[in-house]
Amino acid sequence: MRNPFRALHPRQLRGLRLFLVITVAALVAGLAGTALLPAEHRGLAVGLILAAGLAAGWFTVTGFRPVWTAVAAVIGFLFVVIMLRETGPSLLQLRGGLVDAQVVSLRESSGPIGRYHYAMAAHSGRALGGELTVDEAAYRIGESVTVVEEPDGLAHPMLPSELTEHRQSWLAVTVLYLATAVLCLLAGRPRRAKAS
């Protein structure tokens, strides 16, 4: 059977290099969006990810089509930021369940935006992974709160009302990823030879 990629010019697939840089940045952002990283460190994480992505991208896109490369870079940037923000809610939508929990401890983030982080435990005494983050001191220690929890503790718990704001975020992430792939391939296409 004939290989369908044999007819392609080798440089037509060089857009995969840019797509690989964006994919790696998005995977790191996805990890940073889980409960492995405290919620208040996400801004620092996205800054480091984007700095590394820009450095890697600088060496990756030599000779690419400038307009398509700029469009792919902007969409790729949006994709990485959305991965950081939507990984937790997507995990909760796909695998989460409601649990009645109790506030165990409270801390306020030390930053320009005052946010409150609540460590939670189920009424059985089992600690929930991650922290519930809200913009106001809405709960007291010992108070019961119904939250959506990811069973393996990979996502920070969220209030059910907060999760409805992220409806079908996993679908939006998938569509944006496919759009990024197409744009990267367009950016890497060789330029047409000028007619003499």
Side-chain angles (χ1 to χ4, degrees):
M1 183 173 179
R2 196 172 163 202
N3 184 352
F5 292 106
R6 200 169 183 110
L8 295 174
H9 190 282
R11 290 191 305 161
Q12 285 177 308
L13 293 178
R14 68 183 177 171
L16 291 176
R17 290 183 301 183
L18 177 59
F19 184 59
L20 181 63
V21 169
I22 293 171
T23 299
V24 169
L27 288 173
V28 175
L31 285 173
T34 65
L36 299 174
L37 186 72
E40 66 265 25
H41 294 148
R42 288 182 183 168
L44 175 63
V46 80
L48 292 173
I49 292 163
L50 293 175
L54 282 173
W58 179 263
F59 296 104
T60 301
V61 299
T62 305
F64 279 39
R65 293 178 176 230
V67 173
W68 284 113
T69 303
V71 173
V74 168
I75 298 300
F77 167 79
L78 289 175
F79 175 64
V80 170
V81 171
I82 287 173
M83 274 296 289
L84 183 76
R85 291 181 45 83
E86 298 298 330
T87 298
S90 293
L91 284 170
L92 291 174
Q93 287 173 10
L94 295 171
R95 296 175 35 92
L98 289 174
V99 62
D100 290 324
Q102 190 174 16
V103 176
V104 175
S105 67
L106 159 68
R107 67 183 178 82
E108 187 176 358
S109 60
S110 57
I113 301 172
R115 303 199 83 191
Y116 296 86
H117 307 278
Y118 298 92
M120 314 288 287
H123 288 296
S124 63
R126 175 184 57 83
L128 273 60
E131 297 175 317
L132 174 67
T133 301
V134 294
D135 293 331
E136 56 196 30
Y139 307 107
R140 294 184 308 275
I141 293 176
E143 189 172 347
S144 290
V145 184
T146 301
V147 295
V148 181
E149 176 204 17
E150 202 277 330
D152 295 326
L154 294 175
H156 293 283
M158 294 179 75
L159 298 170
S161 59
E162 285 182 320
L163 194 57
T164 57
E165 297 171 9
H166 297 268
R167 269 188 210 138
Q168 307 299 324
S169 57
W170 61 271
L171 183 59
V173 166
T174 304
V175 169
L176 197 55
Y177 186 61
L178 295 174
T180 303
V182 170
L183 290 169
C184 288
L185 290 174
L186 289 172
R189 286 182 311 154
R191 295 188 175 118
R192 292 179 184 165
K194 291 181 181 177
S196 48

